[in-house]
């Protein structure tokens, strides 16, 4: 079972930037993603990348502000975030597939514990 460890969460002012990282303990099957859960809300997928093709997907609300990337040699996925806003405050978790499946945001079955991002209003 792959284990995921996120890092990089912090409190940043509105308009600021942040880089998150997530290391997988084993083969992530080259399909990884990022989810977030705002306080009192549900967990939602925001980005995913297929490490074999480089194909990416983003939810509309982060397009143009967030960039997902992957280092397949290090089993590490990154999330570069710019122009952060209070609405981006959430626990950010990375995701992987325990077995190779279609690389889509609704095909993940493993999540890390998360790293908190806070953007004060």
């Amino acid at each position: 079972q792959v284990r995921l460890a996120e890092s990089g969460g912090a409190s940043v002012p509105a308009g600021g930037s942040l880089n998150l990282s997530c290391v997988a303990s084993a083969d992530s099957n080259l399909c990884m993603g990022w989810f977030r859960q705002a306080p009192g809300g549900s967990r939602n997928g925001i980005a995913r990348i297929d490490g074999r093709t480089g194909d990416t997907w983003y939810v509309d609300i982060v397009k143009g502000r967030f960039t997902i990337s992957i280092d397949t040699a290090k089993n590490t996925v990154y999330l570069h975030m710019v122009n952060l806003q209070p609405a981006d405050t959430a626990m950010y978790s990375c995701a992987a597939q325990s077995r190779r499946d279609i690389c889509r945001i609704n095909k993940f079955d493993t999540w890390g514990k998360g790293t908190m991002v806070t953007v004060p209003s």
Side-chain angles (χ1 to χ4, degrees), residues 4-6 20-24 28-36 43-51 55-58 67-70 75-79 92-97 100 103-112 114:
L4 304 169
E6 303 92 339
L20 305 182
S21 300
C22 173
V23 180
S28 64
N29 289 302
L30 300 180
C31 176
M32 298 188 76
W34 285 97
F35 287 67
R36 70 182 185 185
R43 184 172 60 195
N44 297 302
I46 59 173
R48 70 102 180 108
I49 185 166
D50 188 333
D55 181 61
T56 58
W57 170 90
Y58 300 93
T67 302
I68 188 171
S69 60
I70 190 170
N75 278 331
T76 301
V77 66
Y78 306 94
L79 189 66
Y92 285 71
S93 303
C94 67
Q97 298 177 332
R100 181 68 184 182
C103 192
R104 292 180 181 169
I105 197 66
N106 63 342
K107 292 294 185 179
F108 292 104
D109 59 2
T110 303
W111 287 267

Side-chain angles (χ1 to χ4, degrees), residues 5-19:
E6 303 92 339
S7 61
S11 178
V12 296
S17 301
L18 204 58
N19 294 306

